[in-house]
DNA sequence: ACATATTTGTACAACGATGAACAAAATGCA
DNA sequence: TGCATTTTGTTCATCGTTGTACAAATATGT
């Protein structure tokens, strides 16, 4: 409780603010994790964005492109670019809905499911190992802080890329 | 200490792991923060990547492109694409070093410094407000966890984009 | 029923980021 | 000195992401 005692609250620069410094660390960690994950997925010939898609199809079978885009916080056009690639590779399927002829319902093929499980193991291993000595209870604290931020930003800001 | 008691460690799926769930929240918060910041910077006609550059020139005047790229965890080619834009807009200057004719030393122009200060205020305000009720001590906890991850990933992985 | 508005997916141009290949300058070693 | 290696920045093709514009299907309101 007594480390680096600061006599006066002397916050002239952003990087002197505790919250600012904390957030910079979050952003850097995210960037490094993304890069590291990207390298570990090369032999599966997918990248983090594809994995995000696959994992969501793994959890939510039959989801639509719109719902998927909302979950991933990206634009619909993004899905329109990436999903045909995964479809051509035989990892996913897109079937039209009988009720609503606008939507395409997405699901994993057996090949896609196998690949997703393999990739998820890689991701889990990376996350576990990079957290090193950080105790679980601290991770829970982190999650709470992040959920707070997520909730705030989701309220303030409209979702990206409407149409 | 007694919430949601789990009888057996039953981690069949990645999203059942506390660390995994925590990290997903981190990634989502990052993504939303980036998008929100991007919108708030539109009237200054810059985006988060540009702001990262400007802030680093603000702190480290006379830095080289290589050093800047390392700090930002991006490739050198990235700087070669972005810096000429900022130079043409009169926000930064690139002067050759007399000792080492390979390097270009970067610095902010008065215009660039003013714009940077303006943008940093926006970023600081966004970070502060989105953290809402999260106490400072929790932010310190977050920072510690992130530094742990950063240290681990910087050791394991080589920096991106060699040459 | 009909006109209007909203929703869902696509096409396209623009931009940031990457990695590889390259030229110029500096460094190391013999 | 001379030659190989390393470092610094650029160029280029490629890819993921965005926002806009657009067509088709659905929902809403009169």
């Amino acid at each position: 409780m007594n480390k680096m005692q600061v006599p006066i609250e002397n916050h002239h620069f952003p990087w002197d603010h505790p919250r600012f410094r904390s957030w910079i660390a979050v952003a850097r960690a995210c960037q490094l994790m993304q890069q590291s994950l990207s390298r570990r997925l090369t032999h599966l010939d997918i990248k983090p964005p594809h994995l995000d898609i696959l994992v969501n199809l793994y959890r939510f079978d039959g989801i639509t492109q719109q719902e998927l885009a909302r979950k991933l916080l990206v634009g619909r056009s993004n899905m329109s670019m990436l999903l045909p690639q995964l479809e051509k590779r035989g990892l996913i399927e897109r079937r039209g809905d009988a009720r609503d002829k606008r939507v395409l319902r997405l699901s994993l093929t057996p090949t896609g499911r196998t690949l997703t499980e393999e990739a998820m193991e890689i991701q889990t291993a990376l996350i576990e190992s990079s957290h090193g000595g950080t105790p679980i209870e601290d991770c829970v604290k982190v999650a709470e802080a992040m959920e707070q931020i997520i909730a705030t930003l989701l309220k303030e800001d409209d979702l990206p890329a409407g149409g």
Side-chain angles (χ1 to χ4, degrees), chain A:
Chain A
M1 282 295 176
N2 206 348
K3 49 177 167 182
M4 209 64 96
Q5 189 178 335
V6 176
I8 305 178
E9 296 288 344
N10 217 13
H11 292 164
H12 297 272
F13 300 107
W15 46 85
D16 292 327
H17 293 257
R19 289 210 234 265
F20 189 92
R21 297 181 68 90
S22 166
W23 183 255
I24 297 305
V26 172
R28 282 178 66 85
C30 252
Q31 215 176 337
L32 283 168
M33 188 73 85
Q34 191 92 342
Q35 291 171 358
S36 183
L37 178 62
S38 188
R39 278 178 233 126
R40 289 160 202 254
L41 291 176
T42 46
H43 71 284
L44 296 178
D45 202 29
I46 61 174
K47 292 185 178 175
H50 306 115
L51 179 54
D52 284 341
I53 292 174
L54 294 173
V55 170
N56 272 274
L57 295 197
Y58 194 93
R59 295 187 68 174
F60 310 106
D61 187 85
I63 199 177
T64 70
Q65 295 192 184
Q66 168 80 322
E67 292 165 345
L68 182 56
R70 286 183 74 85
K71 281 183 185 300
L72 299 180
L73 301 171
V74 299
R76 289 190 315 253
S77 51
N78 192 1
M79 298 295 97
S80 279
M81 305 288 276
L82 297 185
L83 292 174
Q85 302 176 8
L86 298 176
E87 192 180 25
K88 289 191 184 79
R89 287 180 55 186
L91 300 177
I92 72 170
E93 273 184 0
R94 300 200 291 173
R95 274 190 302 289
D97 189 312
R99 282 26 144 175
D100 192 336
K101 290 172 194 161
R102 293 172 299 180
V103 312
L104 292 176
R105 303 227 160 255
L106 309 170
S107 52
L108 288 176
T109 63
T111 310
R113 176 168 287 100
T114 303
L115 187 139
T116 303
E117 287 166 349
E118 224 177 314
M120 285 192 301
E121 270 194 45
I122 293 174
Q123 189 181 20
T124 304
L126 172 60
I127 291 173
E128 287 287 338
S129 71
S130 58
H131 274 71
T134 304
I136 300 257
E137 51 186 35
D138 284 23
C139 289
V140 175
K141 275 286 184 194
V142 171
E144 286 171 7
M146 294 301 128
E147 296 293 357
Q148 158 73 51
I149 292 171
I150 292 171
T152 306
L153 292 178
L154 277 182
K155 277 173 203 157
E156 295 184 2
D157 306 327
D158 256 358
L159 293 187

